[in-house]
């Protein structure tokens, strides 16, 4: 039986009951679909790592319904309150000192003294978090290292066996994971992962962001593995021409001819549209039977930074 269900109030109640009983539920957020578990339940959190095949040293993002709930788990300083008020709910994760005595499982934070937290905007995610009444870990609902899911069907194909249900909220609007900002140390904030909230919007509030490598005393994000988002077919970046055995991931109006099949992320060169299409089109290109996936250059700022980041990882040598 398909675990996919429409997100009506009875299904959301049932999903919350599953979470509170230690089971996994996949749900939509505006970034990608999340594999949800009760963040305070050691066994449930461990089953998230197991279902994804995720390395235990890669901590999870904790999702809550609002700033008030976040303030119970982490120390929100002035900088984080500025960002939270500007961008929550939304595709922004803050890494902050965990409050002592907070109920989040140590498995979720991989034993760190910091905690990554986000308030998602998707109405189904909001309803589920409020109904569950507890923090929920929700990494992308895909096997570790593979392509993130942006539809309920993607989740059912990849992890249908591991979840009690998949709440179907349609296609994810942003289509890229959240932007992760490190604020655990005083001073300059660090861009730990580019994502669905463009760097420039954050810098307009906090000033220039540091890169993880800038300061040897600053920990990088433990989960930023070189190879990630990987299709089965090899990926070739910055393609200006294409071979007949290749699938082409195109961008913009000027598409080189001759590909076995072409998937255009945005024929008009719109970055938000390209971001929303990225993972679904990577999946389609991967299934097209092509020997390789060639990707046109995605230039520019804003969401282009996160799109390039995901494509670089998709093209990186596999472990
Ligand atoms: P995912 O759940 O796959 O979207 O990945 C979560 C991202 O947040 C990974 O890159 C993690 O390394 C990062 N992250 C989670 N918790 C922390 C933390 N306490 N410190 C730094 N990075 C974190
Ligand atoms: Mg992921």
């Amino acid at each position: 039986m398909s675990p996919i269900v429409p997100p009506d109030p009875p299904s959301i109640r049932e999903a919350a009951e599953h979470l509170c009983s230690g089971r996994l539920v996949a749900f939509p957020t505006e970034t990608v679909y999340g594999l949800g578990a009760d963040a305070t339940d050691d066994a449930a959190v461990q089953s998230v790592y197991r279902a994804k095949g995720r390395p235990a040293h890669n901590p999870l993002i904790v999702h809550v319904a609002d700033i008030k709930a976040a303030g119970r788990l982490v120390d929100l300083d002035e900088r984080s309150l500025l960002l939270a008020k500007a961008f929550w709910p939304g595709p922004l994760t803050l890494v902050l000192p965990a409050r002592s005595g907070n109920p989040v499982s140590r498995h979720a934070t991989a034993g760190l003294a910091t905690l990554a937290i986000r308030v998602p905007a998707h109405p189904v995610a909001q309803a589920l978090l409020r109904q569950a009444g507890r923090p929920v870990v929700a990494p992308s609902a895909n096997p570790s290292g593979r392509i993130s899911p942006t539809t309920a069907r993607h989740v059912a194909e990849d992890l249908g066996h591991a979840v009690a249900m998949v709440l179907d909220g349609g296609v994810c609007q942003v289509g890229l994971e959240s932007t992760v900002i490190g604020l655990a140390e005083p001073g300059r904030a660090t861009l730990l992962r580019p994502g669905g909230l463009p760097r420039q919007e954050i810098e307009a509030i906090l000033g220039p962001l540091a890169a993880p490598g800038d300061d040897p005393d600053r920990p990088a994000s433990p989960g930023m593995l070189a190879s990630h988002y990987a299709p089965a077919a090899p990926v070739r970046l910055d393609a200006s021409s294409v071979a007949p055995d290749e699938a082409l991931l195109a961008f913009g109006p000027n598409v080189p001819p001759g590909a076995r099949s072409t998937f255009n992320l945005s024929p008009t060169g719109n970055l938000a549209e390209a971001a929303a299409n990225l993972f679904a089109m990577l999946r389609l290109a991967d299934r097209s039977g092509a020997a390789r996936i060639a990707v046109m250059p995605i230039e520019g700022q804003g969401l282009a930074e996160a799109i390039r980041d995901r494509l670089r990882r998709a093209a990186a040598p596999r472990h």
Side-chain angles (χ1 to χ4, degrees):
M1 201 183 77
S2 167
I4 299 178
V5 297
D8 49 25
S11 299
I12 287 175
R13 259 197 310 279
E14 195 187 332
E17 281 162 20
H18 282 308
L19 287 176
C20 296
S21 311
R23 288 185 283 273
L24 308 186
V25 169
F27 63 95
T29 80
E30 68 278 20
T31 60
V32 301
Y33 274 74
L35 180 62
D38 177 351
T40 68
D41 180 334
D42 282 335
V45 172
Q46 283 177 294
S47 62
V48 167
Y49 283 89
R50 230 179 2 257
K52 282 180 63 73
R54 180 170 173 120
H57 62 76
N58 186 1
L60 305 175
I61 296 172
V62 174
H63 294 65
V64 292
D66 51 35
I67 297 187
K68 199 163 155 223
R72 290 188 210 112
L73 305 180
V74 291
D75 290 322
L76 292 164
D77 63 357
E78 196 185 334
R79 300 168 303 167
S80 43
L81 279 172
L82 283 173
L83 293 187
K85 285 180 183 153
F87 303 117
W88 279 353
L92 172 70
T93 296
L94 303 178
V95 175
L96 288 162
R99 288 187 66 162
S100 66
N102 81 76
V104 171
S105 163
R106 68 194 159 82
H107 299 289
T109 53
L112 297 171
T114 54
L115 196 151
I117 194 154
R118 172 160 104 90
V119 176
H122 196 293
V124 175
Q126 275 286 330
L128 180 63
L129 289 169
R130 287 184 192 280
Q131 185 85 44
R134 59 190 67 196
V136 169
V137 291
S140 54
N142 55 281
S144 185
R146 312 306 297 201
I147 302 171
S148 301
T150 53
T151 67
R153 182 194 279 256
H154 293 161
V155 179
E157 284 167 6
D158 286 353
L159 288 179
H161 58 279
V163 297
M165 58 202 284
V166 183
L167 290 171
D168 187 352
V171 176
C172 299
Q173 251 182 9
V174 176
L176 295 171
E177 294 82 354
S178 59
T179 301
V180 182
I181 301 293
L183 291 162
E185 293 89 24
R188 201 135 71 102
T190 306
L191 178 63
L192 294 173
R193 174 176 76 183
L197 180 67
R199 155 208 294 276
Q200 291 76 13
E201 295 198 32
I202 299 164
E203 292 185 329
I205 293 180
L206 289 190
L209 296 169
D214 284 359
D215 179 345
D217 296 336
R218 272 166 203 267
S221 208
M224 292 297 276
L225 307 174
S227 169
H228 203 355
Y229 313 103
V235 174
R236 179 169 77 81
L237 297 181
D238 295 327
S240 51
S241 62
V242 62
D245 62 347
E246 289 181 325
L248 179 65
L249 214 53
F251 178 64
N254 303 314
V255 178
R260 180 187 160 105
S261 45
T262 295
F263 305 91
N264 199 330
L265 295 169
S266 171
T268 60
N270 178 301
L271 287 169
E273 182 184 26
N277 283 330
L278 179 67
F279 290 135
M281 287 190 174
L282 261 177
R283 282 173 186 258
L284 290 173
D286 201 23
R287 289 206 174 163
S288 67
R292 251 176 329 283
I293 303 171
V295 187
M296 287 176 66
I298 315 275
E299 273 147 15
Q301 296 195 326
L303 289 172
E305 186 178 6
I307 296 174
R308 285 194 298 269
D309 171 81
R310 304 303 186 267
L311 287 169
R312 250 194 324 272
R313 291 176 209 283
R318 316 285 161 81
H319 311 293

